[in-house]
Amino acid sequence: MKKISYIDNFEQWAAEFDFFIPIKVRFSETDMFGHLNNTVPFIYYEAARIEYLNHLGFWQRGELHEVEAIPIVADLQCDFLAQVFFGEELRVYVKIAQVGRSSIDIHYMVKKSDDTICLTGRGTLVKINRKTGKSEPWTEEERKLMEKE
Amino acid sequence: MKKISYIDNFEQWAAEFDFFIPIKVRFSETDMFGHLNNTVPFIYYEAARIEYLNHLGFWQRGELHEVEAIPIVADLQCDFLAQVFFGEELRVYVKIAQVGRSSIDIHYMVKKSDDTICLTGRGTLVKINRKTGKSEPWTEEERKLMEKE
Amino acid sequence: MKKISYIDNFEQWAAEFDFFIPIKVRFSETDMFGHLNNTVPFIYYEAARIEYLNHLGFWQRGELHEVEAIPIVADLQCDFLAQVFFGEELRVYVKIAQVGRSSIDIHYMVKKSDDTICLTGRGTLVKINRKTGKSEPWTEEERKLMEKE
Amino acid sequence: MKKISYIDNFEQWAAEFDFFIPIKVRFSETDMFGHLNNTVPFIYYEAARIEYLNHLGFWQRGELHEVEAIPIVADLQCDFLAQVFFGEELRVYVKIAQVGRSSIDIHYMVKKSDDTICLTGRGTLVKINRKTGKSEPWTEEERKLMEKE
C-alpha cells in the first residue's frame, strides 16, 4: 500500500474511527470514465464533517447563519485507494485527529460495503470570527465537546 | 422537431436572442454515459441569467448580499435537443420573454460551436422581499432597465 | 396556490405518489442566499428516478454501462413552492404519470419533514439505442414492469 | 504565511507557473457562508489540468473515451489562503512539478484579479491501463511532450 503522509500506522489509524454517515453514489457524481469524479469525495467529507460536529454538540442545525465565529476550511487532502462506481453504498468515517489553539485536524476514511477502504483524507478547520476575519481560540466548553470522543 | 410548450415559432424565437456567455463543458460535468449530465444545464442557465441581469444594470456584483429584495427562481424548464459532450464550447443565450408585475419570464437557448441548438429552456424569476418573504412589484427604474432590450 | 401546467387536481396528484427516497440537504448544495440552490432539485430527481426504476426492475445496478438501449432525459421541469434550507430532511417522491411508445413521463414531489410540499417536477425519459441514437419502443416485459405500479 | 508541505520557496514556486485558464466564480458554486464552497477548487483544478495536458499534446479532445491508458487521480490537496466570493474572475494556473515512471505531480495556483494568491494545490496523476487496471510507464513520446515545458 502506498505511503500516505498523514497516516503512521494504517491499521491503528483505521481502527480509531467510530462515527460515519452512509452515502450512496449518485449518477450525477460519476464522470465519463464511469467512476466517482475526483471532485466528489470533498462533498462527502464536508457532509460527514458537519454531521459529526453536530453530533458532538457544535453548531446545531439552524444556528450556523447566526453565530459570530464560523469554521473555515484551511486545507484539504484526499487519497484515492480504489475506484468507486455509481450506486455503491459507502460509509464516510470522520474523526478529530488533533486539536490546536483555534483549529482542528479532521481525518476521513471511506469504506465500501465489502469493507475495502477506497478513500482517505484529512483537513484543517479553523474557527474564524466573522467580523474581524481572524482566528479565535476554542472556548473551554468547545474543548470539552471535542474531548468527549 | 418536437413541440416545445413555451415556443410558438422556433425560428423567430431563436432569432430574438442577442446576449450570451461562452461556456466550455467541464469533465466533472459529464456522467458515465459520456454526456453532459442532465442536471448541469440549469447551472449554465443560472450563470447566464445573472450575467445578463448584471449587463442590464441589475444587482451589480457584490450588491446581492445587501439588497432588500432578491430574485427567486419560481420554476425552471429545460428541453434537451441534442447530446452534449466533454470539451464542447457552447454559447448560452438568454433573453427576457415577458415582464409581469413582480416577475419576469426568462428564456434560454444553447448553441454548439457549429450553431446546432442543443438545449432550450425557460423559467420565472420573482422579486421577493427578504424580510417579509412576499413578492414586490418592479420599480419604474427596474422596468426601464428591462425595456432597454 | 399557483397553477402548475402538469397538475390538474393537486390533492389527487399528490396522493398518487408512493415511492420515495430520503435526502438530507448538504451544505455544498446551498448558495449565498442560504437556500438550496435552484440547480440541485434536478440532482435529487435523477437520484430518485434511478432508484425507482431499479425498484421496478429496470437497469439493475451495474448493468447500465452494458445495455444497448439507455434512458435519456428529453425534458425536465421544476416548480419551487417553498424555500429549502441546509440540513433539511426531505422525501423525494417519484411516479410514472404516463407511458408512451418509447418514452415515459415521470413526475416528482418533494416533501419536508413537516409534510409541506416544497418542490414539484416532471420530465420525459426516452429509451434510446446507443448505436443508432434513435428511440426504441418499450418491450412487453418493460411495459409489465411499469404497469405493476 | 503558513507553511505548505509541497512548497519550498513560495516566490520561486509561484514564478514557475505559466499556463492558466480564466474562471469566473458561479453563483451555484457559493455556499450559505457566501464563499466559494471548499469542494469547488478541485473542479477548477481538473478543468485546468485537462486543458493543460491538451495544450501539451496529450489526450486531444474527443480521444479520451477511446484510449487504452487513461490518467487517474491518485491524490489531491488544496490550501485555502484567501476567501473567494461570487463573481470573482480567477486565473487557475497549472504546471508539472515532477515526472515519475508512470505518474506526474501536478501543482496548482489560483490568483484573483488583483494578483492575490487565494488557492494552491497539488495532486498525482497516474497512467492506468483500462483493461488491466495497472499503471503503465510513460512512452518516450509522452516524456517529450512533458519536457517541452
Side-chain angles (χ1 to χ4, degrees):
Chain A
M1 180 168 289
K2 76 168 178 176
K3 182 71 200 124
I4 296 171
S5 65
Y6 49 88
I7 304 177
D8 278 330
N9 179 322
F10 200 93
E11 271 187 42
Q12 190 187 316
W13 178 84
E16 282 165 8
F17 285 96
D18 188 32
F19 184 90
F20 72 91
I21 62 166
I23 284 187
K24 198 168 185 172
V25 176
R26 295 176 182 166
F27 190 80
S28 56
E29 295 170 345
T30 60
D31 62 32
M32 59 180 268
F33 284 168
H35 307 143
L36 181 76
N37 184 258
N38 63 70
T39 66
V40 179
F42 300 99
I43 294 176
Y44 295 174
Y45 290 173
E46 181 175 78
R49 174 175 69 241
I50 292 176
E51 221 41 63
Y52 182 53
L53 292 172
N54 269 249
H55 162 78
L56 293 184
F58 282 83
W59 304 294
Q60 298 298 339
R61 193 142 306 118
E63 278 180 17
L64 267 181
H65 60 290
E66 300 168 352
V67 291
E68 275 177 33
I70 56 173
I72 294 286
V73 170
D75 69 347
L76 278 175
Q77 277 184 265
C78 180
D79 286 80
F80 299 78
L81 308 188
Q83 293 174 9
V84 178
F85 301 95
F86 164 61
E88 286 207 60
E89 302 191 354
L90 307 174
R91 276 166 292 149
V92 183
Y93 287 86
V94 54
K95 69 174 177 188
I96 296 177
Q98 211 177 331
V99 180
R101 201 189 70 98
S102 59
S103 67
I104 35 175
D105 189 32
I106 298 182
H107 284 204
Y108 306 92
M109 174 179 70
V110 183
K111 281 190 171 177
K112 299 193 173 206
S113 53
D114 69 356
D115 282 343
T116 310
I117 297 172
C118 50
L119 301 163
T120 66
R122 63 155 294 286
T124 307
L125 215 62
V126 181
K127 185 185 169 188
I128 297 282
N129 184 293
R130 253 186 161 166
K131 283 176 197 150
T132 66
K134 291 196 177 149
S135 67
E136 230 172 58
W138 300 111
T139 63
E140 267 312 299
E141 197 190 340
E142 287 170 331
R143 288 192 170 276
K144 270 182 197 146
L145 293 177
M146 295 189 265
E147 277 157 22
K148 270 196 316 193
E149 298 292 297
Chain B
M1 178 167 290
K2 77 168 177 175
K3 182 73 198 120
I4 296 173
S5 65
Y6 48 90
I7 304 177
D8 277 331
N9 179 324
F10 200 94
E11 271 186 44
Q12 188 186 319
W13 177 84
E16 282 165 8
F17 286 95
D18 187 33
F19 184 90
F20 73 90
I21 62 167
I23 285 188
K24 198 167 183 172
V25 176
R26 296 175 180 167
F27 190 80
S28 57
E29 294 170 343
T30 59
D31 62 33
M32 58 180 269
F33 284 168
H35 308 143
L36 181 77
N37 184 256
N38 63 72
T39 66
V40 179
F42 301 98
I43 294 176
Y44 295 175
Y45 290 173
E46 182 176 77
R49 175 175 68 240
I50 292 175
E51 219 45 62
Y52 181 54
L53 292 173
N54 269 248
H55 162 78
L56 293 184
F58 281 83
W59 303 293
Q60 298 297 337
R61 193 144 306 117
E63 278 181 15
L64 265 183
H65 59 292
E66 300 167 351
V67 292
E68 274 178 34
I70 55 173
I72 294 286
V73 170
D75 68 347
L76 279 175
Q77 277 182 263
C78 181
D79 286 80
F80 300 79
L81 308 188
Q83 293 176 9
V84 178
F85 300 95
F86 165 62
E88 288 206 60
E89 302 190 354
L90 307 173
R91 277 167 289 150
V92 183
Y93 287 86
V94 53
K95 69 175 176 186
I96 296 178
Q98 210 178 333
V99 181
R101 200 190 70 98
S102 59
S103 68
I104 35 175
D105 189 32
I106 298 181
H107 284 203
Y108 307 93
M109 173 178 70
V110 183
K111 280 190 173 176
K112 299 193 174 209
S113 53
D114 68 355
D115 282 343
T116 310
I117 297 173
C118 49
L119 300 164
T120 66
R122 62 157 294 285
T124 308
L125 215 61
V126 181
K127 185 185 170 188
I128 296 282
N129 184 293
R130 252 183 161 170
K131 282 176 197 149
T132 64
K134 292 196 176 152
S135 67
E136 229 173 58
W138 302 109
T139 63
E140 266 313 300
E141 197 190 340
E142 287 170 332
R143 287 192 170 275
K144 269 182 197 147
L145 293 176
M146 295 189 266
E147 276 158 22
K148 270 196 315 192
E149 299 292 297
Chain C
M1 178 167 290
K2 78 168 178 175
K3 183 70 200 124
I4 297 172
S5 65
Y6 49 89
I7 303 178
D8 277 331
N9 179 323
F10 200 93
E11 270 187 44
Q12 189 185 320
W13 178 84
E16 282 165 8
F17 285 95
D18 187 33
F19 185 91
F20 73 91
I21 63 166
I23 283 187
K24 198 167 183 171
V25 176
R26 296 175 181 166
F27 190 80
S28 57
E29 293 169 345
T30 59
D31 61 34
M32 59 179 267
F33 285 168
H35 308 142
L36 181 78
N37 184 256
N38 63 71
T39 65
V40 179
F42 301 99
I43 295 176
Y44 294 176
Y45 290 173
E46 181 175 78
R49 174 174 70 240
I50 292 175
E51 218 47 57
Y52 181 54
L53 292 172
N54 268 248
H55 162 78
L56 293 184
F58 281 83
W59 303 294
Q60 298 297 338
R61 192 144 305 117
E63 277 181 17
L64 267 182
H65 59 291
E66 300 169 351
V67 290
E68 276 178 32
I70 56 173
I72 293 286
V73 170
D75 69 348
L76 278 175
Q77 278 182 263
C78 181
D79 286 80
F80 299 79
L81 308 190
Q83 292 175 9
V84 179
F85 300 94
F86 164 61
E88 287 207 60
E89 302 191 353
L90 307 173
R91 278 166 289 150
V92 183
Y93 287 85
V94 53
K95 70 176 176 185
I96 296 178
Q98 211 177 332
V99 181
R101 202 189 69 98
S102 59
S103 67
I104 35 175
D105 188 32
I106 298 182
H107 285 203
Y108 307 92
M109 173 178 70
V110 182
K111 281 189 173 178
K112 298 193 173 208
S113 53
D114 69 355
D115 281 346
T116 310
I117 297 173
C118 50
L119 300 163
T120 65
R122 62 156 295 287
T124 308
L125 215 63
V126 181
K127 186 185 170 188
I128 296 282
N129 185 293
R130 253 183 161 168
K131 283 176 198 150
T132 66
K134 292 197 177 149
S135 67
E136 230 174 57
W138 301 110
T139 63
E140 266 312 299
E141 197 190 339
E142 287 170 330
R143 289 190 169 275
K144 269 182 197 148
L145 293 176
M146 296 190 266
E147 277 158 21
K148 269 197 317 192
E149 298 291 296
Chain D
M1 178 167 289
K2 75 169 180 175
K3 181 75 198 120
I4 296 172
S5 65
Y6 48 89
I7 305 178
D8 278 329
N9 180 324
F10 200 94
E11 271 186 43
Q12 189 186 319
W13 178 84
E16 282 165 9
F17 286 95
D18 188 32
F19 184 91
F20 73 91
I21 62 166
I23 284 188
K24 197 168 186 172
V25 176
R26 296 175 180 167
F27 190 80
S28 57
E29 294 170 345
T30 60
D31 61 33
M32 58 179 269
F33 284 169
H35 308 143
L36 181 76
N37 184 256
N38 63 71
T39 65
V40 180
F42 301 99
I43 294 176
Y44 295 175
Y45 291 173
E46 181 175 78
R49 173 175 71 240
I50 292 176
E51 220 43 61
Y52 181 53
L53 292 172
N54 268 249
H55 161 79
L56 293 184
F58 282 83
W59 303 294
Q60 300 294 340
R61 192 142 308 116
E63 277 180 18
L64 266 182
H65 60 290
E66 299 169 351
V67 290
E68 275 178 33
I70 56 173
I72 293 286
V73 170
D75 68 348
L76 278 175
Q77 278 182 263
C78 180
D79 286 81
F80 300 79
L81 308 188
Q83 293 176 9
V84 179
F85 300 95
F86 165 62
E88 287 206 59
E89 302 190 354
L90 307 173
R91 277 165 290 146
V92 183
Y93 288 85
V94 53
K95 69 175 175 185
I96 296 178
Q98 211 178 330
V99 180
R101 202 190 68 98
S102 59
S103 67
I104 35 174
D105 189 33
I106 298 181
H107 284 203
Y108 307 93
M109 175 179 69
V110 182
K111 281 190 171 176
K112 298 192 174 209
S113 53
D114 67 357
D115 281 344
T116 310
I117 298 173
C118 50
L119 301 164
T120 65
R122 61 156 295 284
T124 309
L125 216 62
V126 182
K127 185 184 169 189
I128 297 282
N129 184 293
R130 250 183 164 171
K131 282 176 197 151
T132 66
K134 293 197 175 147
S135 67
E136 230 173 55
W138 301 111
T139 63
E140 267 313 299
E141 196 190 340
E142 287 169 332
R143 288 190 170 276
K144 268 182 199 147
L145 293 177
M146 295 188 266
E147 276 157 23
K148 269 197 316 191
E149 299 290 300

